[in-house]
Amino acid sequence: MNYYYVKVLPLRRFGYFSSEEIFSKGDCVVVEGNFGIEMGIVDSIVEGAFENIEKVKRIIKLASKEDISGIQEREEKAKEILSLSKELARELKLEMKFLKAAYNTDGSKVTIYFTADGRIDFRELIKEITKRVKKTRVELFQVGSRDAVKLLGAIGSCGREVCCTTFLDEIDTISVKMVKDQGLQLNPTKISGVCGRLLCCMAYEYPFYASCKSRFPNIDDLIKTSRGIGRVIENRYLKDSFVVMYEDGLKEEISIDQWRNKKDNEKA
């Protein structure tokens, strides 16, 4: 059995899929998705055995020209629905920002994604859209700022395409504590993403910093050294050391091993 990480279209959701066949990165495939038969792009090949086998769905086949042309036709129809939704919302004086419309594989349902400040009563809007779209079920779905960027795509401050549209399947919860524990300044322009929320990448190295924290003194702790009493002003996790400042303003960098050995000797 072969395992693949697939970007499922058109909403760019990621998931793990299996097949007896061999596919290459970039192949367009037909998969058993969360909403029935869907299309996807092979993002990467998973090496070795797959542990979370219950999360793996099946790749049905390599997409044909007809399958791919079907995607293009549905995307064109979705753009028309999106334009119609914007026009009708203006007429109904609804404060909504429309992001994307997406048809399911057989074209029987279209989902329209939007953002808004607070809750919106869009029942009248759905009625008006349904009148103009025959034999199609219409759903409106309100999303937050992070999901909005995931739907539309964007370039991050790092100069690369944002993580949520390239490989992140689920977006982790990021807290200010995680930023502080990594010794980063709480500068909103530096720690916020395109979505206006804390950067997802703040979670990538956090487990390392969290494991280091238990081995290091706290900031503002008073430490007794061979020179006297100093106050901890900085922890340098990557260098395995910390910096103390004495009353006369002199700073000294002390290694964790040096500090721990001194503490052990004092206990003995």
Side-chain angles (χ1 to χ4, degrees), residues 127-143:
K127 289 179 183 178
E128 292 300 321
I129 297 173
T130 304
K131 287 179 185 178
R132 293 162 171 79
V133 184
K134 305 297 182 182
K135 299 180 181 178
T136 304
R137 181 182 171 189
V138 179
E139 289 187 355
L140 264 70
F141 195 82
Q142 185 172 356
V143 301

Side-chain angles (χ1 to χ4, degrees), residues 109-263:
K109 183 182 77 171
V110 61
T111 304
I112 304 163
Y113 298 86
F114 71 95
T115 59
D117 295 329
R119 298 187 65 180
I120 297 288
D121 184 353
F122 48 72
R123 287 174 293 182
E124 189 64 30
L125 177 60
I126 286 187
K127 289 179 183 178
E128 292 300 321
I129 297 173
T130 304
K131 287 179 185 178
R132 293 162 171 79
V133 184
K134 305 297 182 182
K135 299 180 181 178
T136 304
R137 181 182 171 189
V138 179
E139 289 187 355
L140 264 70
F141 195 82
Q142 185 172 356
V143 301
S145 57
R146 280 190 168 177
D147 287 321
V149 173
K150 184 177 179 65
L151 281 169
L152 297 177
I155 301 299
S157 57
C158 58
R160 299 173 64 91
E161 192 175 358
V162 288
C163 301
C164 58
T165 63
T166 51
F167 67 90
L168 278 183
D169 183 27
E170 297 180 0
I171 300 176
D172 294 327
T173 300
I174 315 296
S175 66
V176 172
K177 180 180 182 298
M178 295 170 71
V179 179
K180 288 181 176 178
D181 287 349
Q182 295 178 70
L184 300 171
Q185 294 183 352
L186 297 181
N187 183 339
T189 61
K190 297 289 182 67
I191 62 175
S192 299
V194 180
C195 60
R197 308 289 294 277
L198 292 173
L199 288 162
C200 289
C201 56
M202 293 293 169
Y204 299 165
E205 296 179 359
Y206 178 69
F208 165 76
Y209 286 93
S211 66
C212 288
K213 191 176 180 182
S214 61
R215 300 170 46 239
F216 280 72
N218 296 318
I219 300 297
D220 290 330
D221 277 359
L222 296 178
I223 301 294
K224 183 179 181 181
T225 72
S226 57
R227 194 179 185 279
I229 302 295
R231 181 172 60 87
V232 178
I233 61 171
E234 180 185 357
N235 281 325
R236 296 178 175 175
Y237 296 123
L238 298 179
K239 295 181 68 176
D240 229 19
S241 65
F242 60 92
V243 178
V244 298
M245 184 169 69
Y246 300 101
E247 289 185 354
D248 58 5
L250 183 69
K251 298 178 182 179
E252 181 182 8
E253 184 174 0
I254 300 172
S255 73
I256 287 296
D257 289 339
Q258 177 186 345
W259 175 57
R260 295 178 72 89
N261 289 337
K262 188 175 186 303
K263 287 181 66 177

Side-chain angles (χ1 to χ4, degrees), residues 29-43:
V29 291
V30 179
V31 302
E32 291 180 345
N34 294 331
F35 304 99
I37 306 302
E38 299 182 284
M39 302 283 289
I41 303 292
V42 176
D43 184 77

Side-chain angles (χ1 to χ4, degrees), residues 36-92:
I37 306 302
E38 299 182 284
M39 302 283 289
I41 303 292
V42 176
D43 184 77
S44 60
I45 300 167
V46 181
E47 300 292 342
F50 198 89
E51 296 180 359
N52 299 322
I53 195 69
E54 69 279 359
K55 293 185 177 181
V56 179
K57 294 182 173 64
R58 188 169 66 93
I59 294 178
I60 298 173
K61 63 172 184 174
L62 186 69
S64 64
K65 290 182 180 180
E66 290 75 18
D67 294 325
I68 296 170
S69 63
I71 289 183
Q72 295 169 341
E73 290 174 10
R74 289 193 295 273
E75 287 183 347
E76 289 302 317
K77 287 175 63 178
K79 289 177 183 178
E80 294 174 6
I81 296 296
L82 197 63
S83 297
L84 173 65
S85 302
K86 292 177 181 178
E87 181 182 337
L88 292 173
R90 281 195 296 269
E91 292 176 4
L92 294 170

